[in-house]
Amino acid sequence: MEIFPISLKLQQQPCLIVGGGRIAYRKAVLLAKAGAILDVIAPEIEPDLLTLLEQTQGQYIAEDFRQQVNLRDYRLVIAATNDAFVNQQVFEACEAEKVLVNSVDDPPHCRFMVPAIIDRSPLIISVASNGTSPVLSRQIRTQLETLIPHGMGKLAQFSGKWRATVKQKIINPDERRIFWEDLYASPLKEQVFNGNEAEADQLIEQALQEWKTPKGEVYLVGAGPGDPELLTLKALRLMQQADVVIYDRLVSQPIMDLCRRDAEKIYVGKARSHHSVPQDGINALLVKYASQGKRVCRLKGGDPFIFGRGGEEIQELFDAGITFQVVPGITAASGCSAYAGIPLTHRDYAQSVRFLTGHLKEGSPELPWDELVYENQTLVLYMGLVGLENTCQQLIAHGQRPNMPVALISKGTTPEQQVVVGTLADIASKVSEHHIQAPTLTIIGEVVSLREQLQWQ
């Protein structure tokens, strides 16, 4: 994050604009809406800008900018002239006095940026690009304008009116957050939008009277194979409202960034021969936090019910009497194969697909080898990188042809995705050659030969 977004209270605060043209006027309108007192320094000034100054009880200083101006009198300064040298002078003078300064369309000479603004006062939403693409910021603002009802401002004002009462009634901040979230999902919101404030007051009074400490709940959420855009809408909603997030090694950082920022995050990742928290410990954590009344998001890479031990976890929750939800995710087989341009089934090449775990037990995978040697079938091995050579040898020994195509997909669907294609006879030798690392998915079958034609990533 290259810039830190803040919201400034500028009511009755002096602000300076250097420049008297149309650009200066546009910035002055925004400051005036925020209640600032405006001063303008410029040799000439537009009539509209002069009128705005009079309305804000500011003054017009009809002269060129001079570095002798007492900038410490101002909360912030905007340089809005058509002279780059003057704008640079303003920036340097403000920097010397540690006064916030913005030079219009000149990011290197800005200490703060003026974002694209969605005004639903008292709710204000801003979009900024650190000065790299103001047009894109405005386009995003336009999209958000269509998604955020104008009544949101009324709802924010209504919430402010009741905030102290709710805080007094519900002491615990986590419970209070749940109260507001439930309230915003209730008919109260529409009453406020429609201006029926008396009805809304009755609804919130009733909700406060009926409020009970909520029971804890666990959300077993599939995070998909890595690309955050592959999350389901339900997964994202529950990630945003969870008080605690317990997550695996396979959950990518961009996905973690979408969780609620102030949620407690607990890493329980597992790698081969190293489990930061054993499965019994994970189960105990889920029960512990849910028993404390917290909403717990158990975030798993891929789908929780495909080699994710999700079934074991909800069995533990069931035995403990904990309420839970399960949110499926795109499993690695589907996501990684699609991003690699390898269809798992194809009318001409494969009429069935089998998902297998490649985890080793006592040195080799325990797989039904005879059942796996079938020409028109695709095999997908999860977690099979370490035992890959043994797997290839066993398939060949049980009758599979050595030139059967094989693909390794490392870190699939992420920017670091790597795909290596070979055959049963030579794919194991390519692991070290191409520095393939876990997590890696293995696809065995004639469908792999379609990658050269169908790859799109």
Side-chain angles (χ1 to χ4, degrees):
M1 187 168 67
E2 296 181 4
I3 53 176
F4 182 72
I6 62 174
S7 299
L8 293 175
K9 290 185 176 181
L10 294 177
Q11 289 86 355
Q12 295 300 303
Q13 298 299 304
C15 298
L16 175 65
I17 295 178
V18 180
R22 205 65 197 169
I23 295 175
Y25 172 71
R26 289 202 296 267
K27 301 302 180 185
V29 168
L30 293 175
L31 292 174
K33 286 184 69 174
I37 300 172
L38 300 179
D39 287 354
V40 170
I41 295 178
E44 297 179 355
I45 190 170
E46 284 207 356
D48 289 343
L49 181 53
L50 185 59
T51 300
L52 192 61
L53 287 187
E54 295 169 353
Q55 293 173 352
T56 67
Q57 300 178 335
Q59 60 176 327
Y60 168 47
I61 305 168
E63 60 183 43
D64 292 325
F65 175 78
R66 303 178 192 281
Q67 292 192 344
Q68 290 78 12
V69 174
N70 189 1
L71 296 173
R72 291 186 179 182
D73 289 342
Y74 298 101
R75 287 289 187 183
L76 60 83
V77 176
I78 293 180
T81 77
N82 57 6
D83 188 325
F85 177 72
V86 172
N87 290 346
Q88 183 174 346
Q89 280 188 312
V90 174
F91 173 77
E92 291 174 351
C94 290
E95 285 286 277
E97 299 293 343
K98 294 183 170 50
V99 175
L100 289 175
V101 58
N102 171 272
S103 298
V104 178
D105 290 334
D106 186 10
H109 296 119
C110 291
R111 185 52 59 188
F112 74 93
M113 306 292 180
V114 179
I117 296 171
I118 300 132
D119 188 357
R120 300 288 189 270
S121 294
L123 180 67
I124 302 294
I125 302 164
S126 63
V127 181
S129 64
N130 197 18
T132 59
S133 183
V135 173
L136 178 61
S137 295
R138 288 196 292 271
Q139 285 187 343
I140 293 173
R141 180 196 65 191
T142 300
Q143 293 173 0
L144 291 175
E145 288 275 12
T146 64
L147 298 174
I148 302 170
H150 282 266
M152 282 295 185
K154 293 180 182 179
L155 186 60
Q157 196 164 17
F158 176 86
S159 301
K161 182 182 76 171
W162 279 91
R163 185 180 179 189
T165 303
V166 173
K167 189 174 182 179
Q168 185 177 18
K169 171 72 175 179
I170 306 174
I171 305 299
N172 185 293
D174 290 332
E175 293 184 18
R176 195 160 58 241
R177 182 172 53 249
I178 295 172
F179 173 83
W180 284 114
E181 288 173 352
D182 290 348
L183 202 69
Y184 294 148
S186 75
L188 175 140
K189 183 166 67 175
E190 290 299 324
Q191 295 291 352
V192 175
F193 283 2
N194 294 328
N196 301 324
E197 193 162 322
E199 288 82 352
D201 286 336
Q202 291 178 0
L203 287 174
I204 194 170
E205 286 176 352
Q206 180 180 352
L208 283 171
Q209 291 172 2
E210 297 175 353
W211 176 255
K212 295 180 181 179
T213 299
K215 291 184 178 180
E217 185 175 11
V218 173
Y219 314 133
L220 188 62
V221 175
D227 185 343
E229 293 190 351
L230 296 180
L231 283 169
T232 65
L233 293 175
K234 187 171 186 179
L236 183 60
R237 176 173 61 82
L238 296 180
M239 287 161 59
Q240 284 285 317
Q241 72 181 37
D243 305 304
V244 180
V245 179
I246 299 175
Y247 66 102
D248 283 346
R249 180 176 64 96
L250 298 181
V251 179
S252 67
Q253 188 57 48
I255 289 176
M256 287 303 300
D257 291 341
L258 295 174
C259 295
R260 206 181 87 206
R261 289 210 174 144
D262 59 341
E264 183 178 355
K265 299 176 180 68
I266 302 172
Y267 175 69
V268 293
K270 298 176 182 177
R272 190 175 74 92
S273 302
H274 176 70
H275 293 182
S276 64
V277 179
Q279 188 60 50
D280 288 346
I282 295 172
N283 297 345
L285 284 173
L286 297 177
V287 173
K288 170 188 170 183
Y289 284 105
S291 298
Q292 294 173 0
K294 295 183 182 295
R295 296 171 297 182
V296 182
C297 177
R298 174 67 173 110
L299 198 56
K300 289 175 167 289
D303 180 272
F305 279 4
I306 298 183
F307 305 124
R309 304 186 74 168
E312 298 173 39
E313 293 177 358
I314 63 172
Q315 279 183 313
E316 189 81 14
L317 297 172
F318 176 81
D319 291 342
I322 302 293
T323 302
F324 59 85
Q325 300 182 42
V326 180
V327 182
I330 293 178
T331 186
S334 297
C336 297
S337 64
Y339 274 53
I342 301 172
L344 294 179
T345 62
H346 188 285
R347 185 169 59 180
D348 298 328
Y349 297 99
Q351 290 78 52
S352 65
V353 59
R354 293 188 69 161
F355 296 168
L356 308 161
T357 176
H359 258 329
L360 298 178
K361 186 173 183 180
E362 297 180 356
S364 65
E366 292 184 346
L367 297 174
W369 302 110
D370 290 330
E371 297 176 17
L372 305 183
V373 181
Y374 178 66
E375 188 71 18
N376 296 323
Q377 176 177 254
T378 302
L379 304 179
V380 182
L381 270 74
Y382 289 68
M383 304 164 287
L385 190 60
V386 173
L388 180 62
E389 183 174 6
N390 179 273
T391 298
C392 294
Q393 291 173 351
Q394 288 285 357
L395 288 172
I396 293 173
H398 284 78
Q400 187 55 274
R401 54 189 174 90
N403 65 345
M404 175 64 76
V406 181
L408 302 177
I409 308 172
S410 175
K411 301 180 180 179
T413 79
T414 73
E416 294 80 34
Q417 174 175 295
Q418 184 180 7
V419 182
V420 173
V421 175
T423 66
L424 280 178
D426 65 13
I427 193 66
S429 66
K430 295 187 177 187
V431 173
S432 58
E433 177 185 344
H434 293 273
H435 306 289
I436 300 296
Q437 297 180 343
T440 295
L441 193 81
T442 304
I443 300 178
I444 303 172
E446 200 61 50
V447 290
V448 172
S449 63
L450 294 170
R451 168 174 160 75
E452 185 174 349
Q453 178 184 1
L454 303 180
Q455 61 179 305
W456 56 277
Q457 282 289 86

